[in-house]
Amino acid sequence: MSRLPPLRLLITLDAVHRLGSMRLAAAELNVTRPAVSQSIRALEDWLGAPLFDRSVKPARPTDAGERLARATQSGLDQIATAIEDIRASAGHADRHITVSCTIGMATYWLMPRLSAFYARVPDAMVSVQAPPSDMPAFSAGIDVALRFGPGPWQESDTVRVFEECACPVGHPERIKALNGDLAALSTQPLIHVRTPAANNWPGWKEYLAAKGIRAPIGPTLTFDNYVQATQAAVDGKGILLGWRSINAGMLSEGRLAALEQGIHEFGSSYWASAFATPNSRPLVREFLDWIRDAGSDFDRYGGMKL
């Protein structure tokens, strides 16, 4: 036996329970009253339990009838909502894009600026996905990937968003105590972020080597992503190797301070890439144009800039 009775029987039960009358239910369903009564009987036979107490007039739902009617109404409401959402999405599929980027980029750079994109393209809808690996890539359903690296990706239509650079950042009091001494970093608690192998993000090891600073002797803290690591830096737990895309906003707000003598370029930028195909949607091009302009403004006015 199927776990569910025929849907028409449940729809009939919902109508009778909701309207409180088989006559009104028959009118709503555009069937005869005997047909409604037969459907309720068929549902009771399927369940093996009475759904209405017919010893009173009008018949009242039994406890089983109340339980099933409430569950049916909830289920039908969820189905109706899903159908509305699907219809809305289908009707606006050409005005919806999905963007993949790191969780740090999404949280601190892209999401705060999306209102400007909506102001330029009011009927657009943008979904943002941050892959668990923190390595944005194209996959089914991804229209644009925001990636960090030394040069444009040749397999796609790519625009440069902004130049990225790194700098030690931390709580203002902790940075002030360093007195601008880069070498003092080796004695500080350094905040690390776990990154997948073979990705393009340099860490403290590469930074200290580039600056000629000896290996750290202070304690270390390691986090799974830049959101967690940034919060630890804000809380004064240690010094984080910060990035413009992640920390510029907090620097301008004064929640973090930068060791400005330590600003360093690794020769990499942020790029927005979209596969160029004969069926490429105009909205994807509009998004690329917008994010290129937003990145240009960030290059001119963003904090922590060489």
Side-chain angles (χ1 to χ4, degrees), residues 122-133:
D123 62 339
M125 294 180 288
V126 180
S127 297
V128 179
Q129 293 187 8
S133 66

Side-chain angles (χ1 to χ4, degrees), residues 9-294:
L9 302 183
L10 294 174
I11 290 175
T12 300
L13 172 66
D14 173 68
V16 173
H17 181 268
R18 178 164 39 81
L19 299 173
S21 164
M22 289 193 182
R23 178 179 60 82
L24 294 176
E28 179 178 285
L29 298 173
N30 196 28
V31 297
T32 64
R33 186 185 182 286
V36 170
S37 180
Q38 290 173 8
S39 292
I40 296 298
R41 294 278 187 188
L43 184 57
E44 290 175 327
D45 291 343
W46 193 94
L47 291 166
L51 297 175
F52 287 89
D53 179 3
R54 295 174 177 81
S55 66
V56 296
K57 298 295 182 181
R60 296 177 183 174
T62 62
D63 288 344
E66 283 287 352
R67 288 177 57 195
L68 184 57
R70 287 196 299 269
T72 298
Q73 183 177 31
S74 176
L76 292 175
D77 286 344
Q78 290 184 48
I79 292 171
T81 299
I83 289 173
E84 290 175 3
D85 289 345
I86 292 169
R87 282 177 170 172
S89 298
H92 297 86
D94 62 332
R95 305 308 293 165
H96 177 272
I97 61 172
T98 300
V99 179
S100 177
C101 63
T102 67
I103 188 172
M105 176 65 163
T107 303
Y108 297 115
W109 197 91
L110 179 60
M111 298 300 292
R113 289 171 170 80
L114 274 184
S115 59
F117 176 65
Y118 293 136
R120 180 186 286 196
V121 189
D123 62 339
M125 294 180 288
V126 180
S127 297
V128 179
Q129 293 187 8
S133 66
D134 222 24
M135 294 180 68
F138 286 111
S139 59
I142 300 298
D143 299 296
V144 177
L146 303 183
R147 299 181 286 188
F148 170 79
W153 280 258
Q154 299 301 318
E155 87 284 6
S156 55
D157 183 6
T158 298
V159 299
R160 181 182 177 279
V161 183
F162 59 82
E163 178 183 27
E164 184 63 284
C165 62
C167 181
V169 300
H171 188 280
E173 292 299 322
R174 185 176 282 278
I175 294 296
K176 182 179 178 181
L178 295 178
N179 292 316
D181 182 9
L182 275 176
L185 288 172
S186 63
T187 65
Q188 297 296 307
L190 301 183
I191 299 173
H192 295 258
V193 179
R194 293 187 183 92
T195 57
N199 76 350
N200 293 312
W201 287 95
W204 274 117
K205 178 181 178 180
E206 292 79 8
Y207 176 85
L208 296 175
K211 292 297 187 182
I213 301 172
R214 65 187 177 89
I217 59 175
T220 63
L221 298 88
T222 303
F223 296 90
D224 290 330
N225 59 61
Y226 279 95
V227 175
Q228 297 169 344
T230 297
Q231 187 59 52
V234 170
D235 293 341
K237 302 298 185 183
I239 306 295
L240 171 70
L241 182 60
W243 297 90
R244 291 182 70 210
S245 57
I246 297 173
N247 302 125
M250 290 188 174
L251 290 171
S252 65
E253 295 168 359
R255 297 173 64 190
L256 287 174
L259 187 60
E260 294 185 359
Q261 298 84 347
I263 294 176
H264 183 74
E265 278 188 327
F266 284 98
S268 294
S269 296
Y270 250 104
W271 307 83
S273 302
F275 275 125
T277 70
N279 297 319
S280 293
R281 290 175 292 144
L283 182 60
V284 174
R285 184 69 254 175
E286 290 178 280
F287 184 85
L288 291 181
D289 290 343
W290 167 77
I291 202 167
R292 180 191 57 210
D293 294 344

